Amino acid sequence: MKKLCMWKSLSTTRQLSHAPTTVFTTRRRTLSSSSSFDIKNVTKSNFESALKDLRGLLRDADFIAVDLEMTGVTSAPWRESFDYDRYDISYLKVKHSAEKFAVVQFGVCPFRWDSHKQSFISHPHNFYIFPRQEIPGSNQSREFLCQTASLNFLAKYQFDFNLCIREGISYLSRSQEKEALERISSIYMDESSDSMFGLSEDADFPLVRMADVLFAERMKNTIREWRDSLLSKGSSSSEIKQISTDPSQRFQMVFFKTRPGLALSDFTSRQLRVIKAVTKKHFKDLAYIRVAGEATSPQQLIVYTDSNDDRDLLMKEVKDGLRKEAEMKVESAVGFRHVIDLLLSERKLIVGHNCFLDVAHMYSKFIGPLPSTTEDYVSSLQKLFPSIVDTKILLNANGVFRQTLNKSNTSLSRAFVSICPHIALGIKTSSLADRPCVEVEVQVDEKRSSNWNSGAKHEAGYDAFMTGCIFAQACNHLGIDFTLHVLGGDLAKDTKLQNYINRLYLSWGSGNVIDLSSGKCTPDSSASSNLKSRYQDISFPSIILLWGLPSKLKAREIRACIAQAFGPNSVSSVYHLDESAVFIQFSKPELVSKFLEMKETLSRNSDPISVLHPLSNILNGEYTHAATYDVYQQICSSSISKKLFADQAEAIGIKYKTVSSRGDRGKKGNQVCDKETEVRMFDAKADDLMSSYGFSETDRSAESFYLDEVLARK
């Protein structure tokens, strides 16, 4: 789903180099609606059996293709991928997306080379997942955003939302599992049985209502009758049971751990608290316990113990049982994360298409909170997934692929049709007759097929299959001998792949490539030569951020106003984040501080000179704010999501009108006061300066250009 029409596509190119030909044979098929693609759809009902089979398939795989479908990509227009995004900003936007949106489908497709058939055998799995809360009382948040365009996109390709919500497999991340187990450990670590079972607070349960007093007395008599019958030497077990079982079945005689007891049924929670208090206060040889029942709610019991040691032993047994039950619930709640654990343990080559966002989702959903910096994230990710290939990088790195894909579009479906036409179309074309091909079969359970349905695209399992086919075909063009590789044991170590391993596009719309092995981020050289961008020469120290602008202000109008104040060549470019904010890149870094100081001065003055100043046309009084690029990083790092950038800045406390890169940022509160003093001093100096040249107060509006020059030099 990361190929939404709303995304900015990279104008990048792809690559193919000639290699020995491997014959590709597929059955011709018709592209009718009745054609189907064999795929393993997995929900919670068949997850356990599918996981068992997948374990062996991943162990035998030569590489594993993955793809994710999500509920959205960006929570606001200004969080989309821009040319003006520095690499750390790109990561923050991906991080925010992965944290805010849900994954609803996860495609896993292992590929294994069959040396006898000289073909790949693929096993596409399409997992429906849904982040429901499986552990009662846990603090895990299960809220997520939905982007209407994304949901409409999924619906267009017949995504089954009902199946996902009803039957989707839940999951816990590693950090959530650890937190849940630590919480269980802290609860059951207390050696005090009373504290453990909440008896201490219920022993002093206040009987403030007359109904509680009467009910407590009635329960005391009933429990005493049952207890006395137990201690009566002449009573048989049948007599005891008859005495202790009331007609309404609210008390039932049971044996727990060979001890006689009463099972309590159909009482309200308040009544149970009263019974618990009565038992604790009046019966030293009876223990009130809660144990796991057959239903979701625990079973309440009153159990007879013949000594203090026996009571302590009973409580320990109950405690251990409850702890084991709680740990089993956590283990069961791990759910789909078992698939991720398999991927991590096998350490096989992972293949995705434009997959940096996919991998971030995998980390956020199944590992733990994403690190706050790119460097920490890359370092942690490399330890988890030692070998990742982005097929978009692979396609953009070869001239033959770029030519095949018309030098522009590397979306997954287009790349699949162009690179693997025999699979995508089921036909051979004359233009592709001399192209090296590799055969791929699909196996689901015991059924093998070479019938594909391209209408299934944007279903995660099918997209993972397409990704793997593209990678296999690209490897074949690079001259990789799969048979030799199988004997060698690790495709990721092939020398012909080393230039593509662990190099990912940093965002869904960025030409920057990050090397996971080194942590370095560089522009994609293969893309930049063909990328027709208006912003090729970006200097971040020369950029300011301006927000809270007058409505419907165009870029050319902003440029014209600044040019009047700083000269015709002062602005390199103006770029809108949204309707409320723009980037302004100056031709020289020193113009940034001059603009911020001039803007600060003008915003604190309402005299005729300030009103007539050229910059006043793009300023909106106290509502307009300006800052250096570093403040953009601060705003992007916030988890708050506001539609307009101006509202976002205000929501996280960026309310000061001008932010400069100079000085101590920890003193911004005092900076505003200092600025007020500085502006007053400057106004006085300006008046003195003009008076020395013979200008009166009434002459200032007529000589505004001169004052502009003075302001610009300050």
Side-chain angles (χ1 to χ4, degrees), residues 637-650:
S637 65
S638 171
S639 60
I640 298 174
S641 295
K642 297 292 184 179
K643 182 179 179 181
L644 291 180
F645 184 88
D647 295 337
Q648 175 79 10
E650 182 177 1

Side-chain angles (χ1 to χ4, degrees), residues 27-87:
R27 299 174 186 172
R28 182 187 179 93
R29 67 173 181 83
T30 58
L31 293 176
S32 64
S33 59
S34 61
S35 61
S36 62
F37 177 71
D38 292 316
I39 194 170
K40 181 85 169 181
N41 282 303
V42 185
T43 62
K44 63 181 181 181
S45 60
N46 65 334
F47 175 65
E48 292 300 328
S49 60
L51 181 64
K52 181 180 178 181
D53 295 337
L54 185 63
R55 184 173 288 106
L57 296 175
L58 295 180
R59 182 181 59 247
D60 297 336
D62 295 303
F63 67 89
I64 304 161
V66 298
D67 187 87
L68 281 63
E69 298 296 332
M70 310 144 192
T71 60
V73 181
T74 55
S75 59
W78 62 271
R79 285 197 184 271
E80 292 182 11
S81 178
F82 298 136
D83 292 322
Y84 275 109
D85 291 343
R86 200 168 56 196
Y87 80 94

Side-chain angles (χ1 to χ4, degrees), residues 141 174 202 322 484 532 549 594 678 681:
S141 174
R174 287 185 170 182
D202 289 322
L322 289 174
L484 290 178
K532 296 180 179 180
L549 299 165
K594 291 183 179 180
E678 184 180 346
M681 293 176 61

Side-chain angles (χ1 to χ4, degrees), residues 216-226 278 283:
E217 190 64 25
R218 188 166 67 252
M219 290 300 101
K220 182 171 68 173
N221 293 334
T222 301
I223 295 171
R224 179 180 290 114
E225 179 184 0
W226 171 77
V278 168
F283 303 98

Side-chain angles (χ1 to χ4, degrees), residues 603-616:
S603 65
R604 297 186 179 279
N605 287 278
S606 58
D607 55 40
I609 294 298
S610 300
V611 172
L612 294 175
H613 194 279
L615 290 184
S616 64

Side-chain angles (χ1 to χ4, degrees), residues 455-524:
K457 64 184 179 180
H458 302 301
E459 188 175 57
Y462 188 78
D463 283 2
F465 167 75
M466 290 195 294
T467 300
C469 289
I470 292 172
F471 176 71
Q473 187 69 6
C475 287
N476 194 46
H477 277 275
L478 292 173
I480 294 176
D481 189 326
F482 299 116
T483 301
L484 290 178
H485 144 66
V486 170
L487 296 176
D490 194 348
L491 180 60
K493 294 181 180 179
D494 193 290
T495 56
K496 297 182 178 66
L497 275 179
Q498 293 311 299
N499 291 333
Y500 314 106
I501 298 288
N502 293 330
R503 299 184 70 244
L504 308 181
Y505 283 114
L506 191 54
S507 73
W508 54 88
S510 170
N512 290 328
V513 175
I514 189 163
D515 189 334
L516 300 181
S517 301
S518 64
K520 295 181 179 179
C521 184
T522 57
D524 180 23

